[in-house]
Amino acid sequence: QITLKESGPTLVKPTQTLTLTCTFSGFSLSTSGVGVGWIRQPPGKALEWLALIYWDDDKRYSPSLKSRLTITKDTSKNQVVLTMTNMDPVDTATYYCAHRGMALFDYWGQGTLVTVSS
Amino acid sequence: QPVLTQPPSASASLGASVTLTCTLSSGYSNYKVDWYQQRPGKGPRFVMRVGTGGIVGSKGDGIPDRFSVLGSGLNRYLTIKNIQEEDESDYHCGADHGSGSNFGYVFGTGTKVTVL
């Protein structure tokens, strides 16, 4: 059974750096073809893909946010970490991590709401 | 990159059918689309992938047989037959684009389904 859970601060101030952790079980990020992605959803708005890391440490980023994002993995801890710099109120959103298997985002976490406010 | 267009809302009476549409922008008629269900306050749940030939691969875990897909031209459809109260959700479509270093993923704006 694959599960993922996001964790991190619920409130960050403008200009601060956000660090989110995705802790997962039921799969290994050392398995060929497997990845973990991050997706966010501002309140009442559409989903937006942010970043993806693969088993071989290959990384992909949304072009519009690439300069602000870093995704890393700790295979031994079954964790993937996303950092986003220079946070702004428009970055207020629920942030999800998702398992990427068979080229699909087939399992998602419950999400964590991050509010950006001074 | 493709733009995915979804109507903002749809509704159906309990036990009836509803078909949701995800329309790809011009030039992307060969693209496959993923459908996701998002119940209120929950994370998205993968439903299935659809191309012009219909379903690609398998349905997501626990997706009932009442859910089916079709693809035609720029449109990718998700049909829910015998709709139940538990199907009242937001439904999102998404698609891979590019490959290798140019990989990206785009989502539509979502359709809110109401069961009457």
Side-chain angles (χ1 to χ4, degrees):
Chain A
Q1 179 190 4
I2 290 176
T3 65
L4 305 97
K5 187 171 184 179
E6 307 84 354
S7 60
T10 57
L11 179 67
V12 297
K13 290 179 169 37
T15 75
Q16 287 187 335
T17 294
L18 171 68
T19 299
L20 295 173
T21 300
C22 176
T23 303
F24 57 84
S25 64
F27 68 95
S28 172
L29 242 188
S30 59
T31 301
S32 178
V34 172
V36 171
W38 284 94
I39 300 98
R40 70 179 179 179
Q41 185 176 33
K45 296 188 176 181
L47 295 164
E48 179 184 19
W49 171 72
L50 301 176
L52 173 61
I53 189 165
Y54 289 101
W55 84 102
D56 59 358
D57 210 38
D58 199 9
K59 301 166 188 177
R60 300 287 178 260
Y61 296 101
S62 166
S64 62
L65 293 167
K66 184 175 183 177
S67 63
R68 299 173 54 205
L69 296 174
T70 302
I71 189 169
T72 59
K73 64 181 176 68
D74 186 330
T75 305
S76 64
K77 292 183 178 179
N78 282 352
Q79 291 182 333
V80 170
V81 174
L82 181 76
T83 61
M84 180 180 290
T85 61
N86 194 26
M87 292 293 284
D88 183 272
V90 300
D91 296 313
T92 293
T94 296
Y95 288 75
Y96 298 98
C97 61
H99 171 267
R100 180 86 172 171
M102 302 293 287
L104 299 168
F105 289 117
D106 51 2
Y107 297 92
W108 294 57
Q110 64 190 21
T112 185
L113 175 63
V114 178
T115 301
V116 184
S117 175
S118 54
Chain B
Q1 65 183 43
V3 175
L4 279 57
T5 301
Q6 297 181 256
S9 63
S11 62
S13 298
L14 186 67
S17 296
V18 66
T19 295
L20 311 181
T21 305
C22 176
T23 303
L24 292 150
S25 52
S26 177
Y28 294 96
S29 60
N30 62 329
Y31 270 52
K32 302 175 182 63
V33 156
D34 303 325
W35 283 101
Y36 302 91
Q37 177 192 56
Q38 186 176 26
R39 290 175 170 147
K42 301 293 186 181
R45 175 191 186 192
F46 173 72
V47 177
M48 69 186 91
R49 172 171 283 182
V50 56
T52 52
I55 186 172
V56 178
S58 302
K59 293 181 180 179
D61 287 353
I63 299 299
D65 291 343
R66 303 182 285 102
F67 287 73
S68 61
V69 292
L70 281 176
S72 176
L74 294 172
N75 293 323
R76 305 292 180 263
Y77 305 101
L78 174 68
T79 296
I80 310 171
K81 295 182 178 179
N82 185 25
I83 198 167
Q84 302 297 301
E85 290 183 0
E86 68 204 45
D87 301 329
E88 188 162 284
S89 303
D90 291 330
Y91 289 84
H92 307 273
C93 60
D96 290 353
H97 69 89
S99 61
S101 61
N102 295 318
F103 171 84
Y105 197 91
V106 292
F107 290 94
T109 49
T111 296
K112 183 177 183 60
V113 171
T114 301
V115 180
L116 304 172

